[in-house]
């Protein structure tokens, strides 16, 4: 098999994996923003907190992996819930204050771990299952297949959850029109707090499946926030279909850049996409957030 | 007093205020300690271990009464400050500010270990010149350091380096690649480095050598600090059927390159330097997936070499002082030279009979002693001379990870305890 024949399927497969990784990272951020209007800039901090929490439960308390995962998702969700009531409730609706408050919290979490000495190469999470298979001659490890599976599963879960459950329907009600939803008896603050909890729990799910591919390092927290914001801006911050399409665009753009140009330019893809989309269509490809202003 | 007298007095006061910090540190009264400043990236494994090695050396010297300066003995005291320069996004200026803070607050007589990132090292040379501080760098590796000293000796004469530099690393790696090419008939390599001065310089040096010596270099990729997905390069390694992957990384994330290569079943021998793969505990941390990797040990010590007894003693004593857990985490770059640097300073100060910077610099230039890394002598460019015989020069070595989790020294031949073998996934 010549070089090109291997390269093309590799790019298709690894581009898809990369896209699902981006979608997994961005979905929690997007969910919270779409429902409560809060841009949770502590998202990277929650993501890293989840990674370190699993690591500590596994290594210090010797929890079984599955129990460590369940506890971590629950605790991170609770952290998001508490964050709303303790920090965001008082600044809700003041966008700049929301961003400052959540960003400060995120930086605080990340730098706390740095201060605690969580900075070396030893912090790695185990693969859910070791091994690999060949797909069109391209080796793909099971962990990456899990990522694709969990990414798709999460999208389906979100769809059914928001269409067929009481809490999910209240999410949609608040997202569509908060005042009308309140007049129908939906509690705005409770729903917003739950959206933050769900978004945070989704950050934990993303961390648990993605972090085994690398190590848990502090700068990952900052990188995750950049990814979530970039995907959100390109796709439309409150739009799940937009997030999926943006993830595919950025995921493939990154892999193609890394393969055919230079790997050190991969990070530039996010920044270039943010600048480009903000310049042409500030609401993103599927967003309606600023659509009226754009038309005017 | 007339106007002229007042003006003269004013100038005198000004001169005393400006000159005092420089003059004061150059004089020692009985009972005064000799202060060593250690500004470095304490969060990096190299910085952390280097600082521990320095404290160990200070304790050993103090236990023997200290450093003889003329008629009196003076204890050593070391102070560190975290420059955080290994972290992505930390500007050079921040690291320099931390260094200057340490200089102004602790008023050191000398600086040891020093900068982690070459970019910071080059900028900090002006600080050392400004404060006339003898400085032995034990981590950052750029050859531009020596060029600056050679070009402006009077300004930068206070700066020395006792760790390996990029050209020496490239020298060792060319020898290893020569052996790999001859032994296994390999002719195609793929170079992956991190996007920093030292790694780029080493990679380019090796790239040039490989091309001049009948190798084909499939590609040369650089990754930004903090990167943890190396699949774009690994896809190309597989597609282009490279037989060897040459790597130069010191960021914590780089260890995962091996894990990803194994997960993707890349049939190529990894050789070079991946910092997290060097410590003794890497076999367990990376779940045995380091097997087969040929990794540089920039300076011996963390890997004890029987032919250099001080390297064995250092390794054992480090474990006694800091515990087994710390010993098995000893990094592949920095600890040996950091430990040696304190003995080099002590030796030079004793010979100079003063801590006056220019006298210490002269004594440092005449250093010729045995240390953890082998024989220590500075070249005219203030770089310790590295070679393949520890009786003649300082020594770096290359080891291969083999079952059941041991680091077998495979180069240089004079100290080798085994030969490079193809890992199971290449047979």
């Amino acid at each position: 098999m010549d070089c090109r024949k291997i390269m093309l399927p590799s790019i298709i497969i690894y581009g898809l994996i990369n896209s699902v990784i981006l979608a997994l990272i961005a979905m929690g951020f997007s969910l919270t923003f779409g429902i409560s209007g809060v841009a949770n800039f502590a998202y990277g901090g929650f993501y890293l907190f989840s990674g370190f929490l699993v690591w500590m439960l596994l290594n210090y308390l010797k929890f079984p992996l599955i129990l460590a995962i369940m506890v971590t998702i629950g605790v991170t969700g609770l952290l998001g819930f508490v964050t709303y009531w303790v920090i965001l409730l008082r600044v809700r609706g003041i966008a700049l204050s929301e961003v400052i408050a959540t960003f400060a919290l995120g930086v605080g979490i990340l730098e706390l771990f740095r201060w605690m000495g969580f900075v070396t190469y030893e912090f790695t999470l185990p693969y859910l299952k070791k091994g690999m298979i060949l797909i069109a001659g391209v080796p793909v490890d099971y962990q990456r297949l899990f990522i694709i599976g969990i990414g798709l599963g999460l999208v389906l879960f979100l769809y059914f959850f928001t269409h067929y459950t009481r809490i999910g329907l209240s999410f949609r009600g608040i997202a569509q029109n908060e005042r009308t939803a309140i007049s129908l008896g939906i509690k705005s603050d409770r729903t917003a707090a739950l959206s933050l909890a769900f978004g945070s729990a989704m950050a934990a799910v993303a961390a648990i499946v993605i972090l085994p591919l690398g190590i848990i390092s502090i700068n990952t927290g900052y990188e995750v926030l950049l990814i979530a914001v970039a995907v959100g801006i390109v796709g439309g911050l409150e739009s799940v279909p937009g997030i999926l399409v943006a993830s595919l665009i950025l995921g493939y753009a990154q892999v193609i850049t890394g393969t055919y140009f230079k790997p050190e330019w991969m990070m530039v893809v996010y920044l270039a996409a943010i600048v480009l989309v903000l310049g042409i269509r500030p609401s993103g490809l599927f967003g309606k957030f600023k659509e009226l202003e754009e038309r005017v | 007093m007339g106007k002229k007298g007042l003006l003269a007095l004013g100038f005198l006061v000004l001169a005393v205020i400006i000159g005092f910090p420089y003059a004061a540190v150059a004089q020692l009264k009985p009972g005064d300690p000799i202060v060593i400043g250690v500004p470095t990236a304490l969060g990096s494994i190299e910085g952390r271990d280097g600082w521990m090695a320095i404290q160990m050396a200070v304790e050993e010297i103090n236990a023997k009464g200290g450093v003889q300066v003329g008629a009196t003995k003076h204890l050593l005291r070391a102070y560190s400050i975290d420059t955080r320069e290994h972290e992505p996004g930390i500007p050079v200026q921040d690291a320099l500010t931390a260094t200057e803070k340490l200089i102004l607050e602790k008023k050191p007589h000398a600086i040891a270990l020093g900068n982690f990132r070459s970019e910071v090292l080059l900028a900090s040379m002006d600080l050392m010149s400004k404060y006339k501080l003898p400085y032995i760098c034990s981590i950052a590796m750029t050859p531009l350091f020596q060029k600056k000293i050679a070009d402006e000796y009077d300004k930068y004469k206070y700066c020395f380096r006792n760790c390996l530099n990029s050209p020496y690393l490239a020298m060792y790696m060319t020898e290893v690649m020569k052996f790999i090419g001859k032994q296994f008939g390999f002719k195609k390599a793929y170079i992956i480095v991190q996007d920093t001065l030292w790694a780029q310089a080493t990679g380019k040096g090796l790239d040039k050598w490989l091309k001049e010596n009948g190798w084909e270099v499939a590609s040369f990729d650089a990754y930004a600090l903090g990167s943890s997905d190396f699949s774009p390069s690994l896809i190309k390694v597989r597609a282009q059927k490279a037989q060897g992957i040459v790597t130069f990384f010191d960021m914590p994330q780089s260890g995962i390159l091996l894990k990803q290569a194994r997960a993707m079943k890349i049939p190529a021998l990894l050789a070079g330097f991946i910092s997290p793969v060097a410590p003794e505990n890497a076999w367990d941390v990376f779940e045995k997936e380091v097997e087969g990797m040929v990794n540089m040990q920039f300076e011996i010590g963390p890997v004890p070499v029987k032919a250099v007894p001080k390297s064995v003693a250092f390794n054992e004593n480090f474990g006694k002082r800091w515990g087994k857990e710390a010993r098995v985490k000893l990094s592949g770059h920095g600890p040996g030279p950091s430990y040696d640097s304190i003995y080099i300073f002590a030796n030079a100060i004793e010979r100079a009979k003063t801590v006056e910077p220019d006298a210490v610099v002269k004594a440092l230039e005449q250093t010729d002693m045995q240390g953890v890394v082998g024989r220590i002598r500075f070249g005219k460019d203030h770089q310790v001379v590295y070679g393949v015989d520890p009786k003649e020069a300082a020594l770096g070595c290359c080891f291969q990870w083999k079952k059941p989790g041991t680091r077998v020294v495979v180069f240089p031949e004079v100290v080798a305890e085994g030969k490079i073998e193809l890992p199971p996934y290449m047979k």
Side-chain angles (χ1 to χ4, degrees), chain A residues 52-275:
Chain A
F52 280 130
L53 184 58
V54 177
W55 188 91
M56 286 189 280
L57 291 174
L58 290 174
N59 291 279
Y60 294 154
L61 300 180
K62 306 292 176 196
F63 274 34
L65 181 60
I66 191 71
L67 182 61
I69 288 172
M70 303 305 285
V71 169
T72 299
I73 293 171
V75 169
T76 313
L78 189 64
L79 182 65
F81 191 77
V82 171
T83 299
Y84 183 84
W85 291 110
V86 175
I87 297 174
L88 285 167
L89 188 64
R90 285 155 190 81
V91 294
R92 176 103 192 269
I94 313 166
L96 186 61
S97 298
E98 287 173 358
V99 168
I100 291 171
T102 53
F103 190 68
L105 176 65
V107 171
I109 293 171
L110 296 176
E111 295 304 317
L112 176 69
F113 280 112
R114 194 194 302 282
W115 178 76
M116 287 162 67
F118 286 68
V119 288
T120 66
Y121 59 90
E122 295 147 87
F123 302 99
T124 59
L125 294 183
Y127 280 12
L128 296 175
K129 183 174 166 57
K130 273 191 172 185
M132 50 81 73
I133 56 165
L134 287 173
I135 302 173
V138 181
V140 184
D141 54 86
Y142 291 142
Q143 187 68 24
R144 285 181 163 82
L145 294 180
F146 275 124
I147 288 173
I148 293 177
I150 288 170
L152 291 175
L154 211 57
V155 171
L156 288 174
F157 167 76
L158 273 183
Y159 178 81
F160 285 107
F161 181 77
T162 52
H163 284 77
Y164 299 104
T165 67
R166 192 179 167 83
I167 298 174
L169 288 169
S170 71
F171 277 8
R172 291 177 67 207
I174 290 284
Q176 280 168 12
N177 191 314
E178 188 172 353
R179 290 185 181 192
T180 309
I182 291 169
S183 71
L184 292 171
I186 297 171
K187 291 176 179 166
S188 170
D189 283 329
R190 184 171 159 269
T191 309
L194 281 174
S195 78
L196 215 76
F198 264 78
S200 307
M202 285 167 73
V205 172
I208 288 160
V209 290
I210 296 168
L211 283 174
L213 297 179
I215 68 163
I216 318 172
S217 71
I218 305 295
N219 65 307
T220 308
Y222 293 104
E223 200 178 307
V224 157
L225 181 62
L226 173 65
I227 292 171
V229 171
V231 174
I233 285 174
V234 173
L237 270 171
E238 75 283 23
S239 164
V240 173
I243 294 296
L244 298 179
V245 173
S247 299
L248 283 168
I249 293 170
L250 291 176
Y252 275 101
Q254 269 207 313
V255 170
I256 290 167
T257 303
T259 308
Y260 289 109
F261 298 97
K262 294 276 178 190
E264 64 258 45
W265 294 348
M266 286 166 71
M267 208 61 182
V268 177
V269 170
Y270 298 129
L271 303 171
I274 291 175
V275 173

Side-chain angles (χ1 to χ4, degrees), chain B residues 125 145-154 156-161 168 361 364-367 377-386:
Chain B
M125 291 171 77
F145 171 81
Q146 293 148 258
K147 187 174 181 301
K148 280 183 84 167
I149 294 165
D151 289 349
E152 289 184 81
Y153 174 81
D154 287 335
Y156 297 121
K157 65 183 177 185
Y158 304 99
C159 300
F160 293 78
R161 177 163 58 196
Y168 280 130
V361 165
L364 283 171
E365 287 173 339
Q366 288 154 11
T367 299
R377 286 178 301 157
F378 289 103
K380 282 184 180 169
D381 56 4
H382 288 191
Q383 165 68 44
V384 158
V385 180
Y386 275 78

Side-chain angles (χ1 to χ4, degrees), chain A residues 1-4 6-7 10-11 14 18 111 114 119-127 130-132 134 137-141 144 211-215 217-220 223 254-255 258-267, chain B residues 43-45 48 84 86-88 195 200 219-229 231-233 235-236 238-241 252-254 256 259-260 262-266 275-276 279 281-282 285-287 289 325 328-329:
Chain A
M1 203 181 275
D2 71 22
C3 181
R4 281 182 195 170
I6 291 179
M7 291 281 269
S10 294
I11 289 169
Y14 277 88
N18 199 35
E111 295 304 317
R114 194 194 302 282
V119 288
T120 66
Y121 59 90
E122 295 147 87
F123 302 99
T124 59
L125 294 183
Y127 280 12
K130 273 191 172 185
M132 50 81 73
L134 287 173
V138 181
V140 184
D141 54 86
R144 285 181 163 82
L211 283 174
L213 297 179
I215 68 163
S217 71
I218 305 295
N219 65 307
T220 308
E223 200 178 307
Q254 269 207 313
V255 170
T259 308
Y260 289 109
F261 298 97
K262 294 276 178 190
E264 64 258 45
W265 294 348
M266 286 166 71
M267 208 61 182
Chain B
S44 69
I45 52 173
R48 176 197 67 194
R84 294 180 58 179
H86 67 302
E87 295 168 23
D195 194 11
Q200 287 267 18
S219 190
F220 184 114
D221 292 345
Y223 282 83
L225 273 183
S227 303
S228 60
D229 181 13
S231 57
S233 295
I235 290 169
K236 286 192 281 181
R238 191 180 177 87
Q240 296 177 7
K241 296 191 170 115
Q253 294 83 353
S254 55
I256 219 68
K259 215 171 157 184
Q260 288 174 2
R262 293 285 64 75
M264 292 172 73
K265 300 270 180 198
I266 305 298
S275 167
N281 70 343
V285 169
F286 295 104
E287 298 165 322
E289 280 164 348
E325 199 185 340
V328 298
K329 288 180 184 175

Side-chain angles (χ1 to χ4, degrees), chain B residues 192 230 234 247 249 253-261 270 274:
Chain B
I192 309 176
F230 303 97
L234 294 174
T247 56
F249 285 96
Q253 294 83 353
S254 55
I256 219 68
L257 170 59
L258 265 167
K259 215 171 157 184
Q260 288 174 2
L270 272 124
I274 296 182

Side-chain angles (χ1 to χ4, degrees), chain B residues 99-159:
Chain B
T99 305
E100 193 157 21
K101 182 173 185 284
L102 178 79
I103 293 170
L104 293 173
E105 284 181 358
K106 302 298 179 189
K107 299 192 169 38
H109 299 95
I111 299 288
L113 182 51
N115 299 110
F116 178 92
R117 189 71 51 228
S118 291
E119 293 83 342
V120 185
L121 168 67
L122 295 177
S124 74
M125 291 171 77
D126 288 295
L127 267 186
M128 302 307 149
S129 172
K130 177 181 166 187
Y131 291 102
K132 295 188 176 181
L133 277 170
Y135 170 33
I136 300 180
C137 170
S138 299
I139 302 185
M141 296 172 60
T142 177
L144 293 175
F145 171 81
Q146 293 148 258
K147 187 174 181 301
K148 280 183 84 167
I149 294 165
D151 289 349
E152 289 184 81
Y153 174 81
D154 287 335
K155 186 175 181 187
Y156 297 121
K157 65 183 177 185
Y158 304 99
C159 300

Side-chain angles (χ1 to χ4, degrees), chain B residues 161-182:
Chain B
R161 177 163 58 196
N162 70 337
C163 65
L164 199 75
N165 67 1
S166 301
Y168 280 130
L169 173 58
M171 174 193 85
Y172 282 127
M173 278 309 299
T174 56
E175 292 301 316
V176 172
M177 293 308 286
K178 208 184 281 179
F179 177 83
I180 289 173
K182 197 174 157 189

